[in-house]
Amino acid sequence: ITNSKGKTPRRPGPKKASNIEKDPVGVYCRIRPLGAEDEDCCVEMISSSTIQIHAPDGLKANRNGEYKETQYSFKKVFGINTTQMELFEDVSRPLVDDLIQCKNGLLFTYGVTGSGKTFTMTGSPGEGGLLPRSLGMLFNSIGPFQAKRYVFKPDDKNGMEIQSQVDALLERQKRDSQPSVPKTPSSRQKVADPEFADMISAEEACKSGNVDEDCCYSVFVSYIEIYNNYIYDLLEEAPFDPIRPKPPQSKILREDQNHNMYVAGCTEVEVKSTEEAFEVFWRGQKKRRIANTQLNRESSRSHSVFTVKLAQAPLDADGDHILQDKNQVSVSQLCLVDLAGSERTSRTKAEGSRLREAGNINQSLMTLRTCMEVLRENQMCGTNKMVPYRDSKVTHLFKNYFDGEGKVRMIVCVNPKADDYEETMLVMRFAEMTQEVEVARPVDRPICGLAAGRRHRNQAFKEELSLLVTQLTESLPALPPCELVDPADDQTLPRLIEALEQRHRIRQMMVEQFHKTASTLKSMFEQFDGQLNAKETHLHDQQSKLNQKDKVIMNQRAEIERLEKKSKTLEYKVDILQKTTDMYEQDKRSLQQELETREQRLQRELSDKRRMEQRMQGMVTDTKLKWEKECERRVNAKQLEMQNKLWVKDEKLKQLKAIVTESSTGGGCITEHLDKPERPSRERDRNMPQKRSASPSPIPDLYPTNSSTTPSTSSSSYRSVASCISDWEQKFPVDSNSEARYTGTPQYRSRTPAPCHSTSSVGRRRGHRLAPGTEAPTTLANGLDLEAGTRTAPPVHPMHRRSQSAGGEKWVDHKPTSNLDLDTVMQPIIPNAIKVSTPNEKALSKCHKYVLRHQELASDGEIETKLIKGNVFKTRGGGQAVQFTDIETLKQECPTAPRYSITSTTTGCYLCVYRAM
């Protein structure tokens, strides 16, 4: 078992209902007059709720060269002619009404330094600001209903205790007897201090109509300042030590039992009039830190907070004394905050301590802005980000107001001069954002269970009682003169005794009458009590029946809610099932479409296959017929060649025989002409019908032989084979370069050695590779290879075309790294190309064409190189795209394959074929 130190659980905050109504922060704008008439103005009031800000001449044009004008809307805009009274009626008076109704309020002024914040809050001689007018309205409303001093007493924990009249009297006497304790200003002092008397005007003081006369009130004020993020009490009176004066001690913030923030150890002074309250304020105002800067002669260097706390408690049932119950005491407060102005040190020329003060002021205002931004984001986006209240004492002190402890009002003070344009724009943006923050509406205090009008009835009873006593005294007989002049006077005392006895009798009669009346009244009260009890019993019965009905209604409501939840659950399930069904239907339709597409594709492939089979059968039949004709033609040509050879041999033998015979007879001249053997007749060939060969049609005889050079015979018009060959060789010498001219295209050359000089037409035609030392037959007749019966002249239509890469365009030659270099005989040579292994945008942007090399083994086992070509064009998004337009195939085949092609004549090399697919 491990013993680990647990953390202290955090105290849960007060639970707030989720359906609390909220109100936006009320933001008002006040424009101060210009210091001089010739100053440039950048703020213009358009309507009662809108202002327009235009940039000064130096900043008028934006990037587009246009004039920049911005409009901002507020709850209300107060112009330069607005009086302090008008501002108070719209802004501060509702907060004083809420203060009397036990609701908290926060009012603060915000703006650039020198924009009139302190004037708006405090005022000037003859023009009191919001603070003195709020105090005047408060005391004018609760003046007759104030409790005596020290009846309400602060408990130093942001709460309020209540004392009896006797304890309060003793407390007053104790305070008066201690001269060292600072005395609370006396309420008897009606004449205000001349220094601030002009700021308080009794004639303009207004009155609230929502004062509860059955309560007693007491007002406490406190005044603090936040300087360099430290809190100082401006009302604290420390003993003065002339030798070693002590600096003021800073205060700390604490949280009370209701989770409200307060300044611990802050002085709270009980005041009974406007003059007393403002005198306390003025005493603290003199201690506030102000300084002279380049922009303001009396610039506030701290944030000041003047708090007005109102304590109220109901009277007892008799309406005579305050109810001695601490739980019935209600405390509300109104905070009047004068924020220090934001400033730029480049304009104020602040140095040293002033620079530090400006930095802390700007930092606290920035924290306030950040808190507002996070609050707005949490409310608008539904997030739950932590608001950084603790980053500044100002925001930490007023955390409860933004979390829903009262109304929040802000007055944005604006200096319309052009020099403050940039700072004014920042203030306007902050004000515009603050208007979007919503604060929970304060809840009304619970109503006291005592009857209303208790104070009035108590006063009326006292007045009536005094009147009855007076009447009773007047109704009694007058007493005779009872002055004794002489000791022997026996008449005065008996007359006095008789008068007193008469009065006693009258009093006895009045007492009896009073008792009769009291008994009658008692019987009436008893009767009323009986009737009241009967009515209460009946009411109780009705209440029990009503409770039963309520239970039935609650059960039915619970059943209805259960059924509604069940209905919603079923609806949700139905929606899910419907969506699932729709998905399945969609999948079914897509699968059906895919099945139909595949069936169509299968039918199309089957029809293509049948067409291909028919085409292949036709091609096989045509090829078979062609080769049969070719074989027959070759056999006939071979037979004719053999016959010609045999005839030549016979002729030579006959000539040799003649020579031998002539030499044997003695060497004489032979006068007898021997008959030459006749060449085999071709009448059979002439008579046979000519069959069309499948080979290319022969080229016409462009070089007819001379008849005089051809030996004539009686049986045939054919020339001898030897003469034809000799004439052909003399007229057209064989060029080895011309034999290999048509072996390839200009752009696709063979990488084999130079072709050999000894060539064979049969080898070229059949694609055989001749062995070294083999003598090829060279007898030609009219361009015919007599051995094979074919023509060796170049064909009329060569089976090739010029490659598209021979143009002037620039190419991207894409050869992937995964493509193995098989070192085939024919390789494409593209002179104007950029070679890449991976296509990129830089290479594609510089070229117009694209080619991709791909090598693979064909279906017949031969190596095949494919050149996939396309055009490069720009896309709308600024990129590059390739559209494939052509596929060229370079194929290396065995030279023994029986196919028509343009072949290489180099001995010992393989055949290279170029096709344009």
Side-chain angles (χ1 to χ4, degrees), residues 623-632 634 898 900:
T623 306
K624 183 177 180 181
L625 292 175
K626 179 180 70 174
W627 283 107
E628 287 178 355
K629 292 178 182 180
E630 180 67 19
C631 291
E632 185 177 357
R634 290 187 181 184
Y900 292 98

Side-chain angles (χ1 to χ4, degrees), residues 304-594:
S304 65
V305 181
F306 186 78
T307 305
V308 180
K309 187 178 292 186
L310 179 64
Q312 52 183 307
L315 296 174
D316 55 8
D318 296 335
D320 192 11
H321 301 288
I322 299 176
L323 191 64
Q324 298 294 317
D325 187 1
K326 185 177 179 180
N327 296 327
Q328 295 293 332
V329 179
S330 299
V331 180
S332 57
Q333 62 183 13
L334 173 63
C335 293
L336 302 174
V337 185
D338 181 14
L339 295 177
S342 59
E343 59 185 33
R344 292 189 177 182
T345 56
S346 59
R347 296 185 60 200
T348 58
K349 308 298 181 183
E351 297 178 355
S353 60
R354 297 290 172 267
L355 182 61
R356 181 188 175 191
E357 293 168 358
N360 285 286
I361 291 170
N362 294 336
Q363 181 64 33
S364 60
L365 295 178
M366 182 60 67
T367 304
L368 178 61
R369 181 187 184 97
T370 305
C371 293
M372 291 296 181
E373 289 178 352
V374 176
L375 280 172
R376 183 186 64 170
E377 183 179 355
N378 289 341
Q379 293 173 3
M380 296 181 67
C381 304
T383 58
N384 193 19
K385 292 184 178 180
M386 186 185 70
V387 184
Y389 291 120
R390 293 178 178 269
D391 293 349
S392 174
K393 291 294 193 303
V394 176
T395 54
H396 195 193
L397 179 61
F398 302 124
K399 176 178 75 71
N400 308 106
Y401 291 94
F402 297 112
D403 287 343
E405 294 294 338
K407 290 185 178 179
V408 181
R409 296 290 182 266
M410 181 175 73
I411 301 177
V412 178
C413 299
V414 178
N415 193 345
K417 66 179 182 179
D419 294 339
D420 291 347
Y421 169 75
E422 296 182 357
E423 290 87 347
T424 302
M425 289 296 293
L426 296 177
V427 171
M428 291 296 108
R429 291 169 190 163
F430 171 69
E432 186 178 33
M433 177 196 61
T434 306
Q435 292 184 100
E436 299 178 0
V437 177
E438 293 183 347
V439 178
R441 186 178 299 174
V443 183
D444 296 333
R445 67 169 181 174
I447 300 175
C448 182
L450 300 176
R454 299 185 300 279
R455 182 189 295 270
H456 180 70
R457 287 199 302 272
N458 186 27
Q459 291 179 356
F461 173 74
K462 288 180 179 180
E463 292 176 359
E464 186 176 359
L465 183 60
S466 63
L467 180 61
L468 288 175
V469 171
T470 304
Q471 291 178 357
L472 180 61
T473 305
E474 291 178 355
S475 63
L476 293 175
L479 293 176
C482 56
E483 181 179 359
L484 294 176
V485 181
D486 188 4
D489 189 0
D490 296 334
Q491 297 180 357
T492 304
L493 290 177
R495 285 199 302 268
L496 181 59
I497 292 172
E498 184 180 0
L500 290 176
E501 288 178 353
Q502 186 178 1
R503 284 193 171 192
H504 179 68
R505 288 193 298 271
I506 295 173
R507 183 173 178 274
Q508 289 293 333
M509 293 174 58
M510 292 178 65
V511 168
E512 291 177 359
Q513 185 178 3
F514 173 76
H515 284 304
K516 289 181 180 179
T517 307
S519 61
T520 304
L521 186 62
K522 185 176 180 181
S523 62
M524 292 175 61
F525 281 153
E526 289 176 355
Q527 184 179 359
F528 289 154
D529 286 339
Q531 294 177 358
L532 183 61
N533 291 330
K535 290 183 179 180
E536 286 180 354
T537 305
H538 179 71
L539 183 62
H540 182 70
D541 297 337
Q542 297 295 328
Q543 187 68 32
S544 61
K545 293 181 181 179
L546 182 61
N547 292 332
Q548 293 178 359
K549 297 292 183 181
D550 288 338
K551 289 181 180 179
V552 174
I553 292 174
M554 292 298 294
N555 294 331
Q556 293 179 354
R557 188 174 297 172
E559 183 68 17
I560 290 173
E561 291 179 355
R562 187 184 65 80
L563 293 176
E564 287 180 352
K565 290 181 180 179
K566 186 176 180 180
S567 176
K568 289 181 180 179
T569 305
L570 294 176
E571 288 178 357
Y572 179 70
K573 291 182 179 179
V574 168
D575 292 338
I576 293 177
L577 293 176
Q578 186 66 33
K579 291 180 181 178
T580 307
T581 305
D582 295 340
M583 291 172 60
Y584 286 157
E585 290 291 338
Q586 186 176 1
D587 293 342
K588 179 181 177 182
R589 288 193 296 269
S590 62
L591 291 175
Q592 286 180 351
Q593 293 178 358
E594 185 177 358

